[in-house]
Amino acid sequence: MDKVAEILAEASAEVVEPRFRALAAGEVMEKAPGEIVTVADREAEVIITRRLRELLPVPVVGEEAVAADPELALAIRDESAVWLVDPVDGTSNFVAGRPDYAVMCSLVRTGRTVASWIWQPATATAYRAELGAGAWRDGVRLTRPPAPTDPAELSGVLKSRFLDPDRRRRLDANSSAFGNTSPGRSAAGVEYPEVAEGRCDFILYWRTLPWDHAPGSLLVTEAGGVSARLDGTPYRPEAPGCEDGLLVAADPHTWELTRRVLLAD
């Protein structure tokens, strides 16, 4: 666990942090319509991939490698173990000079996330989780504090960018029952820890790319929270294309309550 944390922090220090608020012309590109990538993303992924394979020689499914060759993501389904890597989560924030970005990694065995790491360079904060062994921030164990039982006192995040217009209108209308909702921080590596630590009570995601959600989902569940599809199925990392919603919440009661309110007719 410590070695992987070191790999992420070292790669960040080598090629990501020196470019924060210092990206040169030509170092930001569009890899798909509306999706940007930087040289920091690509160089960090190369470094992290090489070092993880030295640690455990199984396939590495990295966000940027999959962008170049989507079939690489099939290893999540076909291989008994894979590393998932998001070299710069929150790239849009990174490019804009906002500190809400993270470097993330997780280990998946037989379709289940068994360990995860999140490094937040701006605050030098390290999160990690291990299946059945707990969630940690800088070596201190995390236990999610109880959430309010009244919806009017709950705070949450609704990620509506990838929703169809009718569903978006329905969720936006239903969200008025909560005390506070926001569009989030544009970085799963920042948002998930907020649920695990009690600064946010729930998050509704729609697009669930595995490198974005495997690390934080394990962190939340090991802290006592819930990460499940809208039908109640526990989250499992899958190849891109599964976009049927993911609700993350402080505890089982909050998950059920939030789902009932958001999906009400």
Side-chain angles (χ1 to χ4, degrees), residues 1-22:
M1 295 293 289
D2 289 343
K3 183 60 179 176
V4 175
E6 291 173 6
I7 290 171
L8 298 189
E10 289 169 359
S12 176
E14 288 175 30
V15 298
V16 178
E17 294 162 52
R19 291 190 171 98
F20 183 55
R21 296 175 178 165

Side-chain angles (χ1 to χ4, degrees), residues 169-191:
R169 283 192 291 269
R170 177 184 174 192
L171 291 176
D172 286 345
N174 290 344
S175 68
S176 63
F178 298 112
N180 177 59
T181 58
S182 77
R185 308 280 289 275
S186 299
V190 175
E191 293 161 351

